[in-house]
């Protein structure tokens, strides 16, 4: 939310009440701004104004940034008719303006970043920013040095004209590797392994743009990013 803004927008955002009900309540005198009753929905609110609704002060929590260790079976969407969403794992107020900065597939686990700061998430998701995402990949077939070198050079994905950008591929054992890519194409890691004659059986994201998944977070747990973690995005 940007300031200055309308009173009805501020109340709806901070209270999570429907805008229509807020407008009716404002006409009834339920809103008090800096100690004065306000009856106009379009009254201008500044960021430092004190706004009360039915005697309770409303607080705008500002920009927030969370990391979540996503489990299997959750979709990275605000709403979904078939599956639970990652937002159901967050016990936080005013999440309607939040979004995922870089989605993961239903069956992929690991680091998901969630924020209400669109400019910040753009730094992560824009292809022009060249931010690397790092995955632990378990494969169906044994990895070969030839396949790893293909990934490092760039591979041709099905129905794509251009090769993928060069990846960083580190073999961990016969059937697993750590793969870092700076693009975000649809199902990209799975398609890259398919392009070299293999198949992904497990996929886990451990790092986004230098932000490392906290090892203390169990699957389904989350926490606020530290100030240093938030600032990593602009520093790289």
């Amino acid at each position: 939310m940007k300031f200055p803004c309308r009173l009805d927008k501020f109340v709806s955002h901070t209270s999570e009440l429907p805008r229509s009900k807020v407008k009716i309540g404002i006409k009834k005198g339920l809103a008090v701004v800096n100690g004065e009753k306000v009856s106009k929905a379009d009254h201008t609110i500044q960021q430092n104004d004190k706004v009360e609704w039915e005697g309770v002060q409303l607080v705008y929590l500002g920009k927030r940034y969370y990391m979540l260790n996503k489990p299997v079976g959750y979709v990275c969407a605000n709403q979904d008719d078939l599956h639970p969403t990652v937002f159901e794992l967050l016990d936080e107020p005013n999440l309607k303006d939040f979004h995922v900065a870089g989605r993961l597939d239903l069956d992929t686990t690991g680091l998901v970043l969630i924020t209400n700061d669109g400019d910040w998430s753009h730094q992560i998701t824009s292809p022009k920013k060249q931010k690397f995402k790092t995955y632990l990949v378990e494969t169906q077939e044994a990895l070969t040095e030839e396949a790893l070198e293909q990934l490092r050079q760039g591979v041709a994905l099905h129905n794509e004209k251009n090769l993928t950008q060069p990846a960083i591929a580190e073999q961990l054992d016969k059937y697993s590797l750590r793969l870092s890519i700076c693009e975000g194409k649809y199902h990209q890691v799975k398609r890259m392994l398919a392009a070299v004659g293999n198949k992904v059986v497990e996929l886990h994201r451990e790092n986004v743009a230098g932000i490392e998944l906290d090892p203390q977070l169990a699957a389904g747990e989350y926490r606020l990013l530290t100030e240093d973690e938030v600032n990593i995005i602009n520093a790289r």
Side-chain angles (χ1 to χ4, degrees), residues 8 11 34 73 105 108 171 208 221 226-227:
D8 57 344
V11 173
N34 299 326
D105 298 336
T108 302
Q171 186 167 1
V208 174
E221 293 183 341
T226 66
E227 185 176 350

Side-chain angles (χ1 to χ4, degrees), residues 65-210:
Y65 313 83
Y66 298 101
M67 72 161 60
L68 166 73
N69 187 357
K70 177 190 168 303
V72 169
Y74 285 79
V75 293
C76 291
N78 292 73
Q79 292 182 327
D80 191 88
D81 294 333
L82 299 177
H83 305 284
T85 80
V86 292
F87 288 92
E88 295 175 41
L89 297 169
L90 273 63
D91 183 17
E92 299 293 334
N94 310 130
L95 288 175
K96 60 186 178 181
D97 290 336
F98 281 70
H99 59 274
V100 172
R103 298 183 176 189
L104 290 179
D105 298 336
L106 183 69
D107 59 350
T108 302
T109 62
L111 178 59
V112 168
L113 299 174
I114 299 173
T115 184
N116 59 348
D117 185 344
D119 291 337
W120 186 83
S121 62
H122 178 73
Q123 296 293 318
I124 297 171
T125 57
S126 172
K128 295 180 180 179
K129 303 300 181 180
Q130 296 283 293
K131 302 293 186 182
F132 276 90
K133 283 82 68 176
T134 301
Y135 298 83
L136 295 177
V137 188
E138 298 291 329
T139 61
Q140 186 175 76
E141 307 295 334
L143 293 158
T144 66
E145 184 57 39
E146 180 184 1
L148 292 169
E149 190 57 32
Q150 283 182 278
L151 296 173
R152 293 170 186 143
Q153 296 297 322
V155 296
L157 302 181
H158 183 62
N159 288 333
E160 296 273 352
K161 292 182 179 179
N162 300 320
L163 298 181
T164 58
Q165 293 291 317
I168 302 170
E170 173 194 0
Q171 186 167 1
L172 302 176
D173 62 34
K174 192 175 181 180
Y175 295 94
S176 65
L177 75 152
R178 177 175 283 112
L179 185 69
S180 297
I181 60 174
C182 61
E183 299 169 290
K185 298 178 185 293
Y186 181 69
H187 289 171
Q188 182 167 343
V189 174
K190 295 174 183 176
R191 294 166 69 200
M192 288 176 71
L193 269 295
V196 296
N198 213 321
K199 182 179 180 180
V200 173
V201 294
E202 285 188 28
L203 188 59
H204 177 83
R205 187 162 66 190
E206 60 179 9
N207 188 297
V208 174

